[in-house]
Amino acid sequence: MILQCLLVSLLTCQVVYSLDNGLALTPPMGWLSWERFRCNVDCKNDPDNCISERLYMKMADLMVTEGFKDAGYEYVNIDDCWPSMERDSEGRLVADPLRFPSGIKALAHYVHSKGLKLGIYEDFGSKTCAGYPGSEFYMETDAKTFASWDVDMVKFDGCNSDPKDMPYGYPVMEFFMNKTGHPMVYSCEWPLYEYSHKLPPPDYAAVRRNCNQWRNYRDVQDSWESVSGIIDFYGKDEGGFAQYAGPGGWNDPDMLVVGDFGLSYYQQQAQFGMWALFAAPLMMSVDLRSVTPEAKAILLNKNIIAINQDPLGNQAVRLFEVPGSISVWVKKLALPKPGTVAIGILNKDDAGVPVKYKTSFQDLGFTNKGGYSVTEAFENKPMGSFALSQAFTISVDPTSLFMMIAQPRP
Ligand SMILES: *[C@@H]1O[C@H](CO)[C@@H](O)[C@H](O)[C@H]1NC(C)=O
């Protein structure tokens, strides 16, 4: 349970119940294999890119040596396609013996020795999305197995199941995970499956009570079309899911594709900035062996990470949108002082010329009488002080995000 106060107005305080496992007090950060490495199990012909303990060990090494760990990235997460097709004689999952010859516990030990944490993947249904054994009828066994392997996070997918069962089934897994006594971040996909099966809107209060993070929209793909579709979904905020984000529980718009193939430099920056505004889990899905210096600089941008990790845990809402063009997003921050906001101005227009957007803090609905002192967020460039009604013009390049931090002035 947390007491969440909206610091800008200081008028509204509400009690928001979250999963009480002490984890994910800020959005989890790490690396997850799915978007970039998928279900490549061909270690014979593609040993460097197949889903294997070698891949996760290598990524853990690079997270440390390339500065990702120091920047806050912590979890090294396995996705689908890690287990054998058969459970053992006692019904337990076993890692594929050829691709994970040392086993998951040894991999967890290795990752822990680097000061990082290990995440694993299972599915609520009879099979995982890629056809590996699911947790249906095995939730207690699987929770115990993961705890016995010292796993730190469980992503629980929802393929091959009836989403109508999820509102009581996902909490059952949470119950068994809790009973192990071993703290594990619980990453759910329950709202996504309700949404994609056109069931009634998810009960986000219940989701938050049972999960540390939850997917609610389609898988991210390596394209601007996919990323901007997710941004639209978060902008519409149907059912008001944004308000359920906070310490202990987060909406999850899926992985970062920064450093992959499909986004321009500015689109990568826009995804990273928007995910920071969303207080989203920051899960890279990139080959850290070959990530370019430009993409790496985006992923390691301290200012943007600080916006994402702000202890208030507020998720940005879209103030308004000019369809096909500018949208304005605001995330309330506790740091460096109460009343600070991060303001994102996203330009979706791909006509090829920057959009000039003229506004003032007053026009944007802000009320601090002393006005605001403003810094551009990506480059940490001071922009000066602005009186409340003082007009200013921002130029935003095509398919790019302009972001600023505004601190109230006395
Ligand atoms: C289990 O739940 C209790 C009560 O909500 C909580 O205090 C405890 O930290 C939880 N334990 C784990 C391992 O999640």
Side-chain angles (χ1 to χ4, degrees):
M1 187 194 90
I2 58 155
L3 187 64
Q4 206 176 49
C5 298
L6 303 180
L7 291 175
V8 162
S9 63
L10 275 174
L11 291 174
T12 41
C13 289
Q14 60 173 144
V15 175
V16 183
Y17 290 92
S18 63
L19 175 54
D20 182 22
N21 60 4
L23 300 173
L25 299 181
T26 61
M29 295 173 64
W31 185 92
L32 177 60
S33 54
W34 184 256
E35 193 286 324
R36 178 61 183 79
F37 292 94
R38 304 279 164 164
C39 191
N40 178 355
V41 293
D42 187 6
C43 288
K44 194 154 169 267
N45 295 307
D46 197 6
D48 292 337
N49 298 300
C50 64
I51 296 305
S52 70
E53 63 187 37
R54 281 185 55 207
L55 180 70
Y56 297 100
M57 289 163 79
K58 187 72 197 169
M59 294 305 144
D61 293 347
L62 291 167
M63 276 171 66
V64 176
T65 57
E66 299 299 303
F68 292 99
K69 175 174 175 264
D70 286 343
Y73 295 91
E74 186 176 25
Y75 291 89
V76 178
N77 287 3
I78 303 170
D79 207 283
D80 206 345
C81 307
W82 63 270
S84 291
M85 280 298 181
E86 305 295 333
R87 291 173 178 269
D88 73 8
S89 58
E90 290 174 58
R92 288 175 303 207
L93 292 162
V94 271
D96 183 283
L98 292 177
R99 293 181 287 115
F100 293 85
S102 317
I104 304 296
K105 190 171 178 138
L107 181 56
H109 183 75
Y110 182 83
V111 168
H112 293 158
S113 76
K114 302 265 159 187
L116 300 168
K117 295 185 166 156
L118 184 74
I120 206 161
Y121 168 99
E122 242 297 2
D123 190 285
F124 175 78
S126 56
K127 287 190 163 86
T128 71
C129 297
Y132 291 81
S135 267
E136 192 178 41
F137 308 124
Y138 289 95
M139 283 190 204
E140 183 171 18
T141 304
D142 291 349
K144 282 183 177 160
T145 302
F146 297 150
S148 76
W149 289 343
D150 290 329
V151 161
D152 305 291
M153 180 161 178
V154 176
K155 173 177 173 179
F156 214 47
D157 210 336
C159 282
N160 303 305
S161 70
D162 184 347
K164 286 198 205 73
D165 297 339
M166 291 181 175
Y168 57 90
Y170 267 82
V172 171
M173 184 61 174
E174 189 281 311
F175 172 81
F176 287 130
M177 282 168 55
N178 179 277
K179 255 184 62 180
T180 67
H182 180 71
M184 293 180 269
V185 173
Y186 187 27
S187 170
C188 299
E189 302 219 14
W190 149 26
L192 163 59
Y193 284 86
E194 290 181 325
Y195 165 82
S196 52
H197 286 75
K198 301 195 166 45
L199 295 176
D203 176 355
Y204 278 103
V207 173
R208 180 173 169 82
R209 276 197 307 274
N210 288 282
C211 303
N212 292 116
Q213 59 181 59
W214 48 86
R215 288 279 309 286
N216 46 12
Y217 192 62
R218 290 188 207 127
D219 282 12
V220 70
Q221 310 294 339
D222 194 5
S223 72
W224 179 245
E225 188 190 3
S226 165
V227 168
S228 64
I230 295 169
I231 294 170
D232 282 343
F233 182 84
Y234 274 62
K236 285 191 196 107
D237 190 23
E238 262 171 43
F241 60 82
Q243 66 186 296
Y244 292 97
W250 312 98
N251 289 292
D252 178 8
D254 209 6
M255 288 158 273
L256 298 165
V257 294
V258 175
D260 294 327
F261 307 100
L263 303 189
S264 74
Y265 173 77
Y266 287 106
Q267 290 166 350
Q268 293 175 48
Q269 205 180 56
Q271 191 199 15
F272 198 61
M274 289 308 299
W275 264 231
L277 288 169
F278 293 152
L282 296 180
M283 292 292 161
M284 308 181 280
S285 195
V286 59
D287 189 343
L288 295 176
R289 295 167 297 199
S290 56
V291 63
T292 63
E294 291 77 20
K296 196 175 146 187
I298 292 172
L299 292 165
L300 295 178
N301 189 316
K302 284 197 172 66
N303 275 345
I304 309 301
I305 292 172
I307 293 168
N308 173 262
Q309 295 287 303
D310 184 80
L312 188 60
N314 179 246
Q315 178 176 327
V317 290
R318 190 169 68 190
L319 279 189
F320 67 89
E321 175 177 49
V322 181
S325 178
I326 292 281
S327 53
V328 177
W329 305 72
V330 175
K331 181 188 200 293
K332 301 177 177 91
L333 302 174
L335 300 175
K337 65 173 165 196
T340 304
V341 286
I343 303 173
I345 302 169
L346 181 72
N347 179 14
K348 286 220 298 237
D349 193 357
D350 57 4
V353 280
V355 169
K356 300 234 187 308
Y357 175 63
K358 188 174 178 188
T359 189
S360 69
F361 281 95
Q362 192 168 290
D363 286 350
L364 293 173
F366 292 94
T367 54
N368 184 57
K369 288 206 170 57
Y372 292 84
S373 69
V374 182
T375 310
E376 190 283 328
F378 285 103
E379 308 276 337
N380 200 18
K381 265 199 215 123
M383 291 169 61
S385 293
F386 294 85
L388 200 52
S389 59
Q390 185 182 341
F392 56 92
T393 300
I394 304 286
S395 173
V396 197
D397 292 339
T399 63
S400 305
L401 174 67
F402 181 91
M403 183 135 71
M404 54 195 186
I405 311 280
Q407 287 190 48
R409 284 162 51 83

